[in-house]
C-alpha cells in the first residue's frame, strides 16, 4: 500500500494548546508511557508506512488532502468552532479535501470535509463517519469472571453535568416522551447549545439509572458522580479505582450517551471483556468485520427502559457458562479489531475511496 500524503499547516493548530494530534499524525509524537494508553504505541509504529505528513505555509502549496491536526472537540470546547469552520471553508473553496477527526463532540461537517466522529447517528442524513472513541485499554487490569447466577450490572460515571442551568433545574425531570425524543434527535444533538445538552445528559442518565434500580431481578452497583476531569489527583485516582473494581466485579456494564451521542465507557468495557448494555439512542457504531455488535452487546431502546431488567434477564438466562465466556471474548475481539493501528488502515482506505470518487 502506497502511503497517504496529507498536508498540515502550523496555522491549523490551536495556539498554546498541548493535546494529542489527530490519529493520522500520532507517529510524530513521543511514545506513550502511561500504562493505560500504551495501545497508541503500535499506531506510531505502523503509521510511517501508511502516512506521509507534509507541511505548508501557503494554501497554494498544499496537496489534495489537508488534515486538521487536532481534534475538532478541542475547538468546540474552547468555543472556537466558528474559526475552525472558516478555515475549513477556505480550504474546501480551494478545491482540496479536508479531513477532520472530531472526538466525542457533536459536529456537522461542511461539504467537502470528511469527518470521523464518535458521536454519529444511525440516520440516512448522517454525514460523519463513525470511529471508536478511544480512551484506555483496561484489559490488563481486569480478569475474567464466571457467569453469575443473577445478572450483575454496574455504572460508575458522570450524571452531575456542571452548568448554571443544570443547577437551577436539578430537581426538575423532563417528561419521558420529550426526554426520549431529544436523546434520539440528531438535529437537536447537533444544534443544541452545550448548556442545554448538559440538562439532557443529566436527565437521561438519571432516568436510565432509575430504571435499573427498579429492576428487582438485577444486582446493580450504580455510582453517580461529577466530571472526573474536574477532580483533584487523589480524587481522580480513587474514582478510577472505583470504576475498575466495578468492571472487575460485574458481568454487565451500563453504557449510555451523555452530552453527545457517544460514550467513552463503551470502549473501555469492550477492552475489559465485559458485556456492554447499550441504551440505544441510535448511535452509529463503527463497522466490524465478521462480527455484529448484537452478537456480544445488549441493546435497550429508551422507550423500553421500564423493561430493562426483563431484557437483560432474558438475555442472561439464554447464556450457558461457555456462552457467557464467548460473549466476553467477542467483546475483547471487537476492541482488538477497532484498535487505532488496525482501524486507521480502514480510515485511510475510506479517505482514498472518497478522494478518488471526488476526482472522478
Amino acid at each position: 500500500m502506497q502511503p497517504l500524503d496529507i498536508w498540515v499547516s502550523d496555522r491549523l493548530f490551536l495556539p498554546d494548546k498541548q493535546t494529542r494530534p489527530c490519529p493520522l499524525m500520532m507517529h510524530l509524537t513521543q511514545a506513550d508511557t502511561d500504562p493505560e494508553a500504551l495501545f497508541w504505541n503500535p499506531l506510531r509504529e505502523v503509521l510511517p508506512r501508511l502516512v506521509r505528513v507534509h507541511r505548508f505555509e501557503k494554501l497554494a502549496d498544499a496537496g489534495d488532502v489537508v488534515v486538521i491536526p487536532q481534534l475538532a472537540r478541542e475547538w468546540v470546547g474552547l468555543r472556537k468552532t466558528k474559526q475552525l469552520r472558516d478555515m475549513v471553508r477556505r480550504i474546501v473553496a480551494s478545491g482540496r479535501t479536508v479531513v477532520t477527526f472530531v472526538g466525542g463532540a457533536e459536529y456537522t461537517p461542511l461539504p467537502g470535509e470528511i469527518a470521523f466522529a464518535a458521536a454519529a447517528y444511525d440516520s440516512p442524513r448522517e454525514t460523519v463517519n463513525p470511529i471508536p472513541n478511544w480512551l484506555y485499554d483496561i484489559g490488563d487490569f481486569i480478569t475474567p469472571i464466571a457467569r453469575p447466577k443473577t445478572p450483575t450490572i454496574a455504572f460508575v460515571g458522570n450524571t452531575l453535568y456542571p452548568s448554571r442551568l443544570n443547577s437551577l433545574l436539578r430537581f426538575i425531570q423532563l417528561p419521558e416522551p420529550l426526554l426520549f425524543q431529544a436523546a434520539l434527535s440528531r438535529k437537536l444533538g447537533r444544534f443544541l447549545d452545550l448548556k442545554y445538552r448538559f440538562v439532557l445528559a443529566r436527565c437521561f442518565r438519571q432516568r436510565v439509572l432509575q430504571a435499573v434500580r427498579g429492576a428487582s431481578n438485577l444486582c446493580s452497583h450504580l455510582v453517580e458522580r461529577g466530571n472526573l476531569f474536574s477532580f483533584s489527583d487523589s480524587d481522580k485516582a480513587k474514582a478510577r479505582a472505583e470504576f475498575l473494581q466495578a468492571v472487575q466485579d460485574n458481568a454487565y456494564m451500563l453504557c449510555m450517551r451523555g452530552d453527545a451521542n457517544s460514550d467513552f465507557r463503551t470502549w473501555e468495557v469492550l477492552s475489559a471483556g465485559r458485556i456492554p448494555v447499550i441504551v440505544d439512542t441510535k448511535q452509529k457504531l463503527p463497522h466490524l468485520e465478521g462480527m455484529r455488535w448484537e452478537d456480544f452487546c445488549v441493546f435497550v431502546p429508551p422507550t423500553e427502559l421500564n423493561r430493562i431488567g426483563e431484557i437483560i434477564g432474558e438475555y442472561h438466562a439464554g447464556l450457558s457458562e461457555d456462552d457467557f465466556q464467548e460473549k466476553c471474548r467477542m467483546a475483547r475481539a471487537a476492541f482488538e479489531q477497532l484498535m487505532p493501528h488496525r482501524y486507521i488502515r480502514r480510515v485511510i482506505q475510506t479517505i482514498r475511496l472518497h478522494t478518488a470518487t471526488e476526482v472522478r
Side-chain angles (χ1 to χ4, degrees):
M1 177 186 289
Q2 290 296 314
L4 173 71
D5 290 296
I6 65 173
W7 278 261
V8 297
S9 168
D10 288 340
R11 295 181 181 180
L12 298 176
F13 282 87
L14 281 166
D16 303 320
K17 185 70 175 173
Q18 297 299 318
T19 61
R20 292 180 186 276
C22 75
L24 288 180
M25 297 175 59
M26 289 292 287
H27 56 307
L28 304 183
T29 62
Q30 295 295 317
D32 269 290
T33 57
D34 181 346
E36 293 180 321
L38 294 178
F39 67 95
W40 282 110
N41 290 336
L43 178 62
R44 291 182 173 91
E45 295 170 7
V46 74
L47 275 176
R49 302 193 299 274
L50 300 178
V51 178
R52 283 191 298 240
V53 180
H54 307 271
R55 302 273 179 167
F56 70 90
E57 292 187 8
K58 297 180 180 179
L59 184 55
D61 298 328
D64 294 333
V65 180
V66 177
V67 173
I68 303 300
Q70 290 163 298
L71 298 184
R73 181 184 67 211
E74 304 292 343
W75 293 80
V76 173
L78 292 173
R79 298 189 179 276
K80 293 180 178 289
T81 308
K82 183 180 183 303
Q83 293 169 251
L84 174 62
R85 310 288 260 183
D86 288 344
M87 287 192 298
V88 170
R89 286 189 181 92
R90 286 197 295 272
I91 297 168
V92 170
S94 73
R96 294 165 174 82
T97 297
V98 179
V99 177
T100 305
F101 289 84
V102 178
E106 297 284 1
Y107 188 84
T108 301
L110 298 167
E113 179 182 14
I114 302 175
F116 296 92
Y121 291 82
D122 188 8
S123 163
R125 297 193 300 270
E126 185 56 277
T127 52
V128 301
N129 302 280
I131 199 167
N133 209 337
W134 291 300
L135 191 60
Y136 296 122
D137 179 356
I138 62 173
D140 289 339
F141 301 89
I142 307 298
T143 57
I145 61 171
R147 174 190 178 277
K149 182 177 180 180
T150 300
T152 57
I153 183 168
F155 173 87
V156 178
N158 185 10
T159 64
L160 309 175
Y161 289 83
S163 74
R164 181 176 299 177
L165 183 61
N166 234 342
S167 297
L168 292 172
L169 300 177
R170 64 186 183 277
F171 298 117
I172 296 176
Q173 292 295 323
L174 297 176
E176 274 197 1
L178 176 61
L179 176 61
F180 296 157
Q181 182 180 1
L184 290 163
S185 172
R186 174 178 171 269
K187 185 175 182 179
L188 283 178
R190 290 284 154 79
F191 296 109
L192 270 182
D193 187 273
L194 191 60
K195 62 178 176 288
Y196 297 114
R197 283 193 273 124
F198 279 168
V199 175
L200 170 62
R202 173 184 59 80
C203 291
F204 186 73
R205 287 192 164 189
Q206 290 178 346
R207 174 64 188 91
V208 174
L209 296 184
Q210 179 185 355
V212 174
R213 290 188 180 100
S216 59
N217 67 315
L218 302 179
C219 180
S220 61
H221 176 79
L222 309 176
V223 177
E224 300 182 57
R225 55 167 172 74
N227 190 339
L228 183 64
F229 299 107
S230 65
F231 286 18
S232 67
D233 289 345
S234 61
D235 286 341
K236 282 182 184 177
K238 181 180 177 182
R240 188 63 175 163
E242 189 174 38
F243 171 71
L244 292 174
Q245 193 62 53
V247 177
Q248 177 62 60
D249 293 344
N250 291 273
Y252 300 89
M253 292 295 295
L254 190 59
C255 303
M256 54 185 158
R257 66 160 295 158
D259 56 81
N261 197 33
S262 64
D263 182 24
F264 286 109
R265 188 174 293 97
T266 303
W267 312 103
E268 291 188 283
V269 173
L270 294 181
S271 77
R274 294 294 190 266
I275 300 175
V277 174
I278 299 176
V279 182
D280 186 12
T281 49
K282 301 302 180 184
Q283 182 185 0
K284 188 174 184 181
L285 297 165
H287 174 70
L288 293 169
E289 296 181 328
M291 304 172 67
R292 300 179 310 148
W293 288 89
E294 293 81 0
D295 292 338
F296 54 89
C297 297
V298 180
F299 287 88
V300 180
T303 53
E304 295 190 40
L305 278 177
N306 289 334
R307 295 184 56 245
I308 192 168
E310 180 183 344
I311 293 170
I312 296 172
E314 290 177 355
Y315 180 90
H316 190 71
L319 301 179
S320 66
E321 176 64 31
D322 288 344
D323 293 335
F324 174 77
Q325 297 301 334
E326 178 61 17
K327 299 296 184 187
C328 294
R329 283 191 291 269
M330 291 179 73
R332 176 66 199 189
F335 181 83
E336 291 282 354
Q337 188 181 131
L338 296 171
M339 289 273 270
H341 57 291
R342 298 187 179 99
Y343 194 79
I344 286 296
R345 284 189 175 90
R346 284 193 265 166
V347 169
I348 292 172
Q349 291 170 351
T350 300
I351 294 172
R352 283 182 167 159
L353 178 62
H354 183 99
T355 304
T357 302
E358 288 290 310
V359 169
R360 289 199 293 269

